[in-house]
Amino acid sequence: MKSFIKRCLVAVMIPALLVGMTVFSAGAVAEEEVILSVTAKDIDDYGFRGAVQSALDEAAQNATAELPYTVTVPEGEYDLSYVLRVYSNTTLDLRGVTLKRSGAGAGNMLRVGDEDGVNTGVTGYAYENVRVFGGTFDGNFGENTIIKAFHTKNFTMDDVTVLNEKEGHMTEFAGVDGLTIRGCIFQDQRLTPGNYGYEAIQLDVLHPFHITNGRCEDLPVSNVLIEDCMFADMPRAIGSHTAVHNRPHNNITIRGNVFNDMSSIAIQGLNWTNVTITKNVIDNAPRGITLYSEPGGCTYLSGKLAQKGGTQSHVTDAYQAPGKANITINYNILTDIGTSDDKYASYSSQGIAVLGEKLTARSSVDSGDESGGLPAGDYYIDGANIHANFIDVRGNGIRIEDVRNASVASNEIVCSKNTVHKDNYYGVVVRGNASASTVSYNTIMGAEVNGIQLDGTNGGSVTKVRFNRISNCGKYGIGVYDMSIDKIEDNDIMGTKNIGLFADGSKINYLRWNRIRNCLDSGIWLTSTTTATTVKSNTTVSCDDSNSFGRNTAQSHYSSSSALTTFYLPWDTTDKVGAKMGVGSMFHIAPDVRPTNAVATFSYSSSDEEVVTVDQGGMAYAVGEGQATITVKSDNNITKKYVITVEGDGGVSHLTAKPSAPVIILGDADGNGTVESADSAMLMRRIVYIETPCDDVTLSRGNVNDDLFIDVMDVTYIQRYLANIDTPYEIGKRIK
């Protein structure tokens, strides 16, 4: 076994020296570390597991935060018959290595730390700074979780492939603060109905029913980043089915991942707070994204966990009103949701759902896993922003229940009939004592029942329902029941199989400027139990009974449409003439027509589809950096143009003046407009996976040789440019 100390990245700079140039200092961007190399001879002498574990044990004895160890393994394919254990301040570098679990039913392949008892062993975050870099873990369809980490602070997986799991999780984490999983592949996970190992990445609770050989404690999972990963052929990709009462899993970001062929759901959260789920692509799943509060089952009392583990309880077991959840679900693309049924449980199909729960009595305790026993109370979710998602679904597009301070805006929802799980399905449904500030600017097509269902039977309210474009619904365009709503205005509804806009037992302050056409029953119908303060200037055209407004007279409404004279893009003010978008972000264009009784259809086009694409529902999607103009054209040839600059990987900001074209300079890794030594330092930080203040799109400008990778050769060419040495690439020059 060979070891040496690497200082300040000298080893990885060697390729730069080979091209005959002076290497400029990138700064001390890494601490000293010990490289401990397992050799082929070590493996021949001691066997693969013995040789690698010996190196990991040496690291366990000597590694510190100031002097971490990296254990490297020679490339190749190896059988692994017993678990590898990794400890604090250690990186296991498995690039080019494939590990195959020996025999079905074999144990874990990699675990952080030692095996403990239920009430003996480490507590808190006993292990820290553990990283797995590269490698393939082939579980060979053994029936134990492949990778586990408990009682750990800062666990990272980079570019790891995990394959072939049966009846268990692919990876499992409990009591982890700082979990980063980047660029990993998870594929082929089999689960027989009745078993519990649904998730490829499971955020769990330290209880022996779920976590064997780990001490029981009430530690949640916190500070999670899962990005740029691929998941295929499994029940659930990322999620939780356990939580701690009054101690949520916290600060969770899931972004830029691809999910294919789930048999249950792509992302399922249980008692998560401060959540961002963005720019993910989900294709073919019974359900897409669902976040729950604290359900009566599956949630543990802190006191019970502490008593069982002989550990400290950190929160009360009494009911406490939930704190802010701060959930943001945006810029996700969901397709083919609900084409198959969830074979593990009877869930209704849905694209995106955020669901609280109200317990009227203490929940029962599960005799199997001891969860439950929560006190009665309203376990609502406070704060959910669901916007700018594209959802192709056979089921509910977006569903929120028992949620406070929600908003559902600028989503495009395309519905088809569900043939595998019968239910009443809606484009957007708000119910179960949910309150929302807005349900606006959504395009909803083909909902099985109502396009928008607002049900306040158990309480709830919505402030604004505006600028939604709803078509071809099985019953109503908008259905309102026992709900308090301030404004229902400027909605465009067409082609419903029943009434365009229906309200029963509700209170509405303003119902105006809505355009409803081609419905098989009344345009608008308000029952005698609905109180509506201002009902005026609504247009109903070609409905079975165009003049029906319930108790309201038709004199203040329109039964025929006017020709469109102008329209505005895309929100309440007319001075937003441009936008800046991050790559992967979306926004929905919903024209505001004039006069208010004008009925029009619109088409959309982009001047450069390599920068921005736009579909015929008006959803604009930022594809790559650059500038493009979106043209919106009405059916009577009135047009508006909207200039969009795509730069970086952030969200959408709307501008009051035409945005300047982006300045993209080859080699300018930090995006400040100049190629300088800081850019080479920035790239070196990226190469060794040290956090940078810049996003990946900005850093990609440092990929000067356009080989799809940021590597040492890019640093070399930038250094040559700074030293006035010719390069074959136009470093320092503006590119598209």
Side-chain angles (χ1 to χ4, degrees):
M1 201 170 299
K2 299 178 180 179
S3 66
F4 63 93
I5 296 178
K6 182 177 73 175
R7 293 183 174 88
C8 297
L9 307 175
V10 170
V12 294
M13 295 294 286
I14 289 175
L17 296 173
L18 299 179
V19 296
M21 61 165 287
T22 301
V23 178
F24 293 86
S25 172
V29 295
E31 300 287 346
E32 293 183 342
E33 65 174 329
V34 174
I35 306 296
L36 193 59
S37 299
V38 177
T39 66
K41 185 177 185 305
D42 296 329
I43 294 172
D44 288 341
D45 291 345
Y46 304 106
F48 176 79
R49 198 271 173 182
V52 176
Q53 190 59 56
S54 177
L56 294 172
D57 290 343
E58 182 177 337
Q61 294 174 4
N62 299 300
T64 65
E66 293 74 27
L67 188 63
Y69 272 53
T70 293
V71 174
T72 67
V73 178
E75 295 184 6
E77 298 182 7
Y78 306 97
D79 288 339
L80 182 63
S81 58
Y82 192 68
V83 64
L84 290 171
R85 300 186 185 280
V86 61
Y87 301 87
S88 293
N89 304 307
T90 300
T91 294
L92 179 59
D93 187 342
L94 295 175
R95 286 176 290 180
V97 174
T98 295
L99 305 181
K100 186 174 184 179
R101 183 157 52 184
S102 296
N108 311 133
M109 297 183 72
L110 181 69
R111 178 180 175 129
V112 175
D114 296 314
E115 293 189 6
D116 295 326
V118 173
N119 57 7
T120 59
V122 301
T123 62
Y125 304 113
Y127 307 103
E128 60 182 9
N129 305 327
V130 178
R131 180 182 176 214
V132 185
F133 187 10
T136 296
F137 289 81
D138 182 349
N140 196 24
F141 297 110
E143 298 187 3
N144 278 291
T145 298
I146 293 173
I147 297 174
K148 288 188 172 185
F150 318 137
H151 293 287
T152 303
K153 188 176 183 65
N154 299 331
F155 178 87
T156 301
M157 289 173 55
D158 285 309
D159 299 324
V160 177
T161 297
V162 187
L163 306 173
N164 304 331
E165 172 62 31
K166 182 181 180 182
E167 315 297 17
H169 303 294
M170 303 188 94
T171 62
E172 190 171 17
F173 306 95
V176 176
D177 180 7
L179 172 64
T180 301
I181 302 177
R182 293 180 292 211
C184 296
I185 296 172
F186 299 84
Q187 189 166 350
D188 293 329
Q189 180 186 2
R190 300 175 186 174
L191 183 70
T192 303
N195 289 327
Y196 297 97
Y198 302 101
E199 293 83 0
I201 300 175
Q202 161 75 344
L203 310 184
D204 218 330
V205 166
L206 289 162
H207 182 278
F209 185 88
H210 300 280
I211 304 298
T212 56
N213 307 118
R215 190 165 183 177
C216 198
E217 194 169 5
D218 69 354
L219 294 179
V221 179
S222 302
N223 300 311
V224 177
L225 173 62
I226 303 171
E227 66 175 346
D228 299 331
C229 296
M230 189 276 281
F231 302 84
D233 297 302
M234 58 193 52
R236 300 178 186 169
I238 302 170
S240 305
H241 54 248
T242 58
V244 180
H245 176 51
N246 289 330
R247 205 163 195 223
H249 300 302
N250 182 52
N251 194 20
I252 297 170
T253 298
I254 300 169
R255 66 188 181 200
N257 304 284
V258 176
F259 305 82
N260 293 314
D261 301 326
M262 304 291 110
S263 54
S264 177
I265 191 169
I267 301 169
Q268 175 174 293
L270 187 67
N271 197 18
W272 289 5
T273 57
N274 298 309
V275 181
T276 300
I277 300 174
T278 185
K279 299 182 182 178
N280 301 284
V281 177
I282 302 170
D283 180 65
N284 188 21
R287 297 176 293 144
I289 301 166
T290 299
L291 300 183
Y292 298 94
S293 61
E294 295 188 32
C298 304
T299 306
Y300 287 87
L301 298 175
S302 171
K304 178 175 287 187
L305 294 173
Q307 182 181 20
K308 199 173 190 71
T311 50
Q312 179 182 354
S313 175
H314 295 87
V315 292
T316 179
D317 288 345
Y319 171 78
Q320 289 185 329
K324 286 288 186 181
N326 294 325
I327 292 168
T328 297
I329 304 174
N330 62 359
Y331 309 140
N332 301 285
I333 298 174
L334 289 74
T335 56
D336 284 337
I337 306 301
T339 54
S340 60
D341 199 10
D342 191 319
K343 64 182 179 181
Y344 303 102
S346 183
Y347 293 103
S348 296
S349 175
Q350 52 211 15
I352 296 172
V354 181
L355 309 174
E357 180 176 1
K358 187 174 185 178
L359 297 180
T360 58
R362 183 175 292 273
S363 67
S364 61
V365 176
D366 189 287
S367 59
D369 72 353
E370 300 182 306
S371 66
L374 271 66
D378 192 349
Y379 295 88
Y380 57 84
I381 293 175
D382 189 356
N385 182 1
I386 305 171
H387 72 269
N389 301 281
F390 176 86
I391 304 170
D392 164 25
V393 64
R394 289 127 187 90
N396 295 314
I398 296 172
R399 172 184 165 199
I400 61 173
E401 296 182 9
D402 203 9
V403 177
R404 307 287 183 271
N405 301 309
S407 66
V408 179
S410 297
N411 302 282
E412 183 172 343
I413 302 169
V414 180
C415 303
S416 303
K417 184 176 178 57
N418 191 303
T419 60
V420 296
H421 190 108
K422 291 185 178 180
D423 204 342
N424 290 325
Y425 288 119
Y426 310 97
V428 174
V429 54
V430 180
R431 64 190 178 198
N433 197 25
S435 65
S437 61
T438 189
V439 179
S440 301
Y441 298 106
N442 303 287
T443 290
I444 302 168
M445 295 174 276
E448 279 198 53
V449 185
N450 299 338
I452 296 176
Q453 171 87 347
L454 306 175
D455 187 349
T457 303
N458 296 311
S461 64
V462 176
T463 305
K464 297 177 182 178
V465 183
R466 311 178 67 214
F467 293 103
N468 298 287
R469 302 180 70 85
I470 303 168
S471 60
N472 302 318
C473 299
K475 192 175 182 182
Y476 305 150
I478 299 175
V480 186
Y481 306 85
D482 300 298
M483 182 70 84
S484 175
I485 300 177
D486 183 29
K487 295 181 175 67
I488 302 178
E489 57 189 21
D490 278 302
N491 299 286
D492 195 325
I493 301 170
M494 66 176 294
T496 68
K497 300 298 190 294
N498 205 296
I499 298 169
L501 195 159
F502 174 83
D504 178 56
S506 298
K507 179 181 178 181
I508 303 169
N509 287 333
Y510 296 93
L511 196 158
R512 58 191 178 186
W513 310 328
N514 299 285
R515 292 167 297 278
I516 301 171
R517 50 191 158 141
N518 302 319
C519 298
L520 297 186
D521 206 315
S522 301
I524 296 176
W525 188 266
L526 309 180
T527 69
S528 61
T529 58
T530 293
T531 301
T533 304
T534 300
V535 183
K536 68 176 185 178
S537 300
N538 298 287
T539 301
T540 58
V541 179
S542 299
C543 296
D544 183 64
D545 186 352
S546 292
N547 291 329
S548 274
F549 290 88
R551 296 176 294 103
N552 301 277
T553 63
Q555 274 82 28
S556 61
H557 305 287
Y558 304 102
S559 58
S560 62
S561 61
S562 297
L564 179 72
T565 58
T566 189
F567 61 90
Y568 300 104
L569 291 180
W571 295 273
D572 298 331
T573 58
T574 60
D575 61 349
K576 294 176 179 175
V577 297
K580 181 179 178 182
M581 302 177 67
V583 172
S585 65
M586 294 181 282
F587 80 91
H588 185 248
I589 300 171
D592 178 7
V593 304
R594 294 291 186 274
T596 57
N597 66 326
V599 173
T601 58
F602 297 91
S603 60
Y604 305 82
S605 62
S606 170
S607 64
D608 190 341
E609 293 193 344
E610 293 184 358
V611 177
V612 180
T613 62
V614 61
D615 68 18
Q616 290 312 300
M619 183 68 85
Y621 178 70
V623 178
E625 290 195 326
Q627 191 171 90
T629 299
I630 300 297
T631 300
V632 186
K633 184 178 181 180
S634 70
D635 53 357
N636 63 336
N637 295 316
I638 299 174
T639 62
K640 300 286 184 183
K641 296 183 182 296
Y642 201 71
V643 179
I644 296 175
T645 291
V646 179
E647 189 171 13
D649 70 347
V652 179
S653 57
H654 301 282
L655 309 176
T656 58
K658 179 179 176 181
S660 301
V663 178
I664 303 175
I665 296 174
L666 191 63
D668 177 23
D670 59 7
N672 70 351
T674 305
V675 179
E676 53 198 351
S677 60
D679 297 306
S680 62
M682 194 73 63
L683 296 185
M684 290 308 306
R685 292 179 66 91
R686 178 63 174 170
I687 291 167
V688 297
Y689 283 89
I690 297 174
E691 292 295 331
T692 75
C694 296
D695 58 64
D696 284 347
V697 176
T698 302
L699 285 170
S700 68
R701 302 170 181 180
N703 180 23
V704 297
N705 57 1
D706 196 27
D707 63 355
L708 303 181
F709 300 100
I710 294 175
D711 53 27
V712 172
M713 292 310 300
D714 296 308
V715 177
T716 297
Y717 287 119
I718 291 174
Q719 297 286 15
R720 289 177 64 95
Y721 167 79
L722 294 173
N724 296 314
I725 300 172
D726 290 337
T727 75
Y729 306 103
E730 295 187 341
I731 298 169
K733 293 188 177 180
R734 180 171 176 163
I735 58 176
K736 179 180 177 181

